[in-house]
Structure formats: structure tokens, C-alpha cells
Amino acid sequence: MKKQTLYFLALILYQLASILFATSNPAFFTWASISSLCFKVCLCFLVVDLVTKKIKIAVAVAMIPFFVLFLYVIDFVVLSLGDTYIIWILNTLLTSFIVGIAVIYYINNSDKKGYWLLISAILFVIQIAAFFVNKFYVKNEAIYQIVILSYGVSHFTFYKFLVIKEYERIPYHNN
């Protein structure tokens, strides 16, 4: 029940961020960035238990390429980010952490749960990249539709991951 509540809170935070990002008000952009960061914190809490002592270093190494890629994208728009620069650094760090967990978990387990988490993490990366392109480079309806599509599918796949994860905790479940 706690995980369902946390995921529901995450979805509300993301919806709030989406609504605030749609405006052109700089103050709303700051609040949207904070809401987006809180959304990622919630997601991290939902996946952090997959990190065992054994794979901590592997997860850290797996997240580095994604974090560097995100930092590169942020560097292009650093002037547009203004006061939210640090918030976006943290947001990309958390996203990279989720992707690192997904990659290492899938490599080590190759099960349905890992598959859905990996697909979700990849879609989160696509979503952020498309968001930055649409928000700061090229305002394009097609790119905006990619953001919406990746948002919907990423949450569907993340929810599939959560359902399988919770199902595994039920004693004597049928496969």
C-alpha cells in the first residue's frame, strides 16, 4: 500500500510539473522543476531496494554515461535554466541513477520485472531529451507528441514493473 501511495504521489507531482511547464512564466518553471525533481525522488524510493551491496559499484558505473549525456544537454541550455540549474543537475542525477539500476538489474537478472524497468528507464531518458529539445531549441508539435507518448508508455511500463515486483512479494504466488 505504501508503494501504491508513493507512486500515486509521483504521478501527481509529474502532472503538476507538466501543467507548470506548459506556461511561459519563469516562476512556474522553477516550481515545475522542483515538482519534477520530487517526482524523481519518489521513483528512486520505489527502485532503490533493487540495489544490493553486490551491485552498488556497477550501478554507479552504469549511471555515469547517462549523467554525462544529461550534463551535456544541460550545458546547452544553462542560460535558459537560470536558478533551476542545480535542480536540473539533481534531476538528471536521479534519472541516471534509475537508469543505472535498470541496466544492471536487467543484466544480472533478465527477468520480466527487469525488462519492464529497463524499458521504462529508457523512455524516461527519451522523455527528458525530447522535453529539452522542445522547450529550449525547437518548439515542434511532433517533438511534444514524443514527450507525451514516452510519458504515457514509460509510466505504463514502470507500473508493470511495480505490479510484478509486488506480486513477487506475495507468499506462494503462482508464476
Side-chain angles (χ1 to χ4, degrees):
M1 189 64 176
K2 287 181 186 178
K3 293 203 186 279
Q4 288 176 343
T5 304
L6 186 59
Y7 187 61
F8 186 68
L9 174 64
L11 289 175
I12 290 171
L13 288 167
Y14 189 83
Q15 284 304 115
L16 177 63
S18 295
I19 291 167
L20 294 174
F21 279 135
T23 69
S24 58
N25 186 329
F28 287 168
F29 184 80
T30 301
W31 284 108
S33 298
I34 292 168
S35 182
S36 178
L37 178 64
C38 292
F39 159 72
K40 291 292 171 51
V41 168
C42 291
L43 292 187
C44 285
F45 278 122
L46 292 169
V47 298
V48 75
D49 60 333
L50 297 177
V51 180
T52 61
K53 253 184 168 179
K54 204 174 180 181
I55 65 168
K56 280 183 182 178
I57 294 173
V59 168
V61 170
M63 68 185 270
I64 290 171
F66 296 98
F67 187 55
V68 170
L69 175 70
F70 283 134
L71 288 178
Y72 189 68
V73 171
I74 286 174
D75 188 51
F76 280 129
V77 298
V78 69
L79 296 176
S80 299
L81 292 176
D83 295 339
T84 63
Y85 178 72
I86 298 298
I87 295 168
W88 278 100
I89 297 287
L90 294 172
N91 195 323
T92 58
L93 181 65
L94 294 176
T95 304
S96 301
F97 177 66
I98 293 167
V99 175
I101 291 171
V103 167
I104 298 304
Y105 185 83
Y106 183 74
I107 288 171
N108 287 338
N109 298 302
S110 299
D111 59 4
K112 280 169 66 173
K113 179 171 61 173
Y115 170 78
W116 289 112
L117 180 60
L118 182 63
I119 296 297
S120 178
I122 290 168
L123 289 168
F124 283 135
V125 170
I126 292 169
Q127 179 184 359
I128 288 177
F131 168 77
F132 270 100
V133 168
N134 190 56
K135 185 79 174 169
F136 299 111
Y137 289 114
V138 179
K139 290 261 186 209
N140 184 316
E141 188 62 29
I143 297 171
Y144 183 67
Q145 293 303 318
I146 290 171
V147 172
I148 292 171
L149 180 65
S150 60
Y151 164 75
V153 177
S154 67
H155 283 290
F156 171 78
T157 56
F158 193 83
Y159 191 71
K160 287 284 283 186
F161 155 75
L162 287 177
V163 167
I164 293 169
K165 184 177 169 190
E166 288 302 310
Y167 183 72
E168 288 176 349
R169 292 176 187 230
I170 299 171
Y172 310 108
H173 69 275
N174 297 326
N175 288 329

